[in-house]
Amino acid sequence: MDAFVERNACSTEGFPGPSQSRLMPEAGVELELARAVTLGYEPSGEAGLIRCHSHGFPSPLARWHCHAEYELHLISATSGEAFVGDWIGTFDPGHLVLCGPQLPHHWRSLDAPPEGVAQRDLIIHFSQEPIFEAAEKIPEFVEAVDLLKRAQYGIEFFGMAESAERHWKAIDNARGLKRFSLFCELLANLAQCTDYRLLSGVQASGGNDIKAINHLAARIALDPSRDMSTAEVASELGMDAGRFGRLFRRATGYGFVNYLNRVRVNKACLLLMQTERQVVSICYEVGFNNLSNFNRQFLEIKGITPKEYRKRSQRRLEAGSDPAI
């Protein structure tokens, strides 16, 4: 898999502004009752495994939320800021992401005209159970299962926008077995794509304790520079440090300090790409208290130094392609 620069930014419609609380609101759960035809959803009576819909911006659907289905999401217009799990980044037309169940996500356009745009998002929702169950009896579906397991963290695909849009239109216009066959073709293309990156450091989870951890992860993503210790956060959640540490690792795959460092480094990546500020200034802004620790953590997480990261991203941008490391 090619490794790509984390393009970070964090500000989303409906999120707290500068003068408001710095706590990220909990992701709203999108339920079937909210999926009105007037918002672009297919009638529930016509929906099978695969459901297509599209919407413009602004829209009631453009918000920080999650749901039980997988979501394949293609941006066809405007640029702006994206949030998938604990990943914060930017998007442009052609941005293609597959989100797993219960993984919070949101896209906020920053260059939409005052009147808005009629169509920005092309979306496919589908349930995981039928595909996972089919893979137990149909070997060909194992390839799809591997893809969907990765999507628990959110996957961004590169170079597939035109193909994905053609497939979306064909799937949207088809019904029954024809729709399913077209969907399988698209799923196969995604499974075979090698030009992608995993976005979130935390996968979606359930349960009240895990819900609290996910909320904490969203807060960290919004303000990673905040000074916080394991003991402080554990106390805030009403847990002892040992239980909190075990729960946090189970929910995110990382220890708390490691996770916090990763989010801070991701934020630093955005500043290295989008500004000419000195590395030492960026180091302190994202929450590290000394330059040597920042450089060490950056090298460990990204595999290169902050200065080299900036050089590589600039070379890629000058070449007119997505920055990569």
Side-chain angles (χ1 to χ4, degrees), residues 15-81:
F15 285 7
S19 62
Q20 297 174 281
S21 167
R22 295 293 292 170
L23 298 182
M24 176 86 70
E26 191 170 331
V29 178
E30 184 177 273
L31 302 176
E32 182 64 34
L33 291 175
R35 294 176 171 175
V37 175
T38 54
L39 294 178
Y41 286 100
E42 295 176 331
S44 58
E46 296 181 10
L49 170 65
I50 307 108
R51 302 180 68 172
C52 292
H53 74 279
S54 65
H55 63 79
F57 184 88
S59 165
L61 300 177
R63 70 198 190 286
W64 172 236
H65 71 290
C66 62
H67 39 69
E69 301 88 356
Y70 280 86
E71 176 173 308
L72 183 64
H73 198 119
L74 174 63
I75 298 291
S76 62
T78 76
S79 302
E81 299 170 338

Side-chain angles (χ1 to χ4, degrees), residues 141-159:
F141 274 100
V142 172
E143 188 178 359
V145 168
D146 292 340
L147 168 70
L148 299 185
K149 286 181 178 178
R150 294 198 303 271
Q152 298 289 331
Y153 298 90
I155 307 173
E156 181 178 8
F157 300 92
F158 299 91

Side-chain angles (χ1 to χ4, degrees), residues 121-151:
D121 309 73
L122 305 179
I123 297 166
I124 295 176
H125 284 156
F126 58 96
S127 301
Q128 66 172 339
E129 290 82 4
I131 297 175
F132 278 70
E133 291 173 4
E136 296 177 2
K137 298 181 179 180
I138 305 174
E140 286 79 3
F141 274 100
V142 172
E143 188 178 359
V145 168
D146 292 340
L147 168 70
L148 299 185
K149 286 181 178 178
R150 294 198 303 271

